[in-house]
Amino acid sequence: MRHLCPLYPFIWQLIMSLTKAINHDISAAEQLYDRLFLNCANSHYQLCNTYNTELAPIKNGTPVKVELQTYFIELIDFDSQKQILNVAIWLQMKWHDSRLTWNLTENGVTGLTVEPKSVWKPDLTLYDGVEDHGFRLDNEDQVKALIEPDGLVR
């Protein structure tokens, strides 16, 4: 029996989400992006926002719940003498940001794909890691953040 990699459902879901987003009117998505992220004081938008990536999306004092899923990709090295394990993993994070919500019926945009640097991201720290090797997010510039109308960011 052949086992499927746990990334296949995620990749399929991402492809379907991107396909839906691409099929919508680009101008509606651009207008939504401007409203959510840009300082539009001189704009015709009534609900402008100045989004700050430094501020966590805390609402009414409630901490942000971040869902983190880890997928094992590859065993790179294992040194049993030094007790060091070097692996490649895929991290998927999800959280809600109430500052990034919109009414789907107003513009028909079902998802907005943005650069990860455009949104607040939780700080990640690896405990019990080897100091010399460290914990790195090597491909952060190769992935995008997908925002859904209810403010779900992944």
Side-chain angles (χ1 to χ4, degrees):
M1 184 172 165
R2 188 172 173 207
H3 295 283
L4 295 176
C5 174
L7 283 178
Y8 286 124
F10 170 73
I11 293 170
W12 179 252
Q13 181 182 19
L14 182 63
I15 290 170
M16 295 307 293
S17 297
L18 291 175
T19 303
K20 289 179 186 176
I22 291 170
N23 289 334
H24 286 285
D25 183 11
I26 296 299
S27 63
E30 288 173 345
Q31 288 176 4
L32 180 61
Y33 180 87
D34 289 349
R35 183 179 69 78
L36 293 174
F37 292 103
L38 303 179
N39 182 358
C40 42
N42 298 326
S43 173
H44 62 279
Y45 300 116
Q46 294 177 357
L47 298 173
C48 283
N49 195 11
T50 303
Y51 188 86
N52 187 342
T53 60
E54 299 292 320
L55 299 176
I58 297 172
K59 187 174 184 179
N60 300 327
T62 305
V64 181
K65 179 183 173 188
V66 178
E67 181 181 322
L68 179 66
Q69 293 177 326
T70 307
Y71 299 96
F72 177 80
I73 303 297
E74 177 184 8
L75 172 63
I76 297 172
D77 185 34
F78 177 65
D79 187 336
S80 61
Q81 295 287 335
K82 296 179 183 177
Q83 296 184 352
I84 296 175
L85 177 65
N86 190 3
V87 296
I89 59 173
W90 178 280
L91 293 176
Q92 181 184 17
M93 297 184 289
K94 297 180 192 176
W95 64 91
H96 278 88
D97 191 332
S98 61
R99 301 170 295 176
L100 299 176
T101 60
W102 66 90
N103 187 341
L104 176 62
T105 58
E106 288 180 7
N107 55 25
V109 178
T110 58
L112 194 61
T113 305
V114 299
E115 295 291 329
K117 65 183 178 187
S118 300
V119 297
W120 172 85
K121 292 180 298 301
D123 294 328
L124 288 178
T125 302
L126 179 65
Y127 292 102
D128 295 330
V130 177
E131 292 179 22
D132 291 344
H133 299 281
F135 175 71
R136 312 186 301 275
L137 296 175
D138 287 338
N139 65 343
E140 186 176 6
D141 59 338
Q142 298 172 5
V143 296
K144 304 289 185 197
L146 178 63
I147 307 168
E148 296 180 6
D150 66 348
L152 179 68
V153 180
R154 54 185 160 138

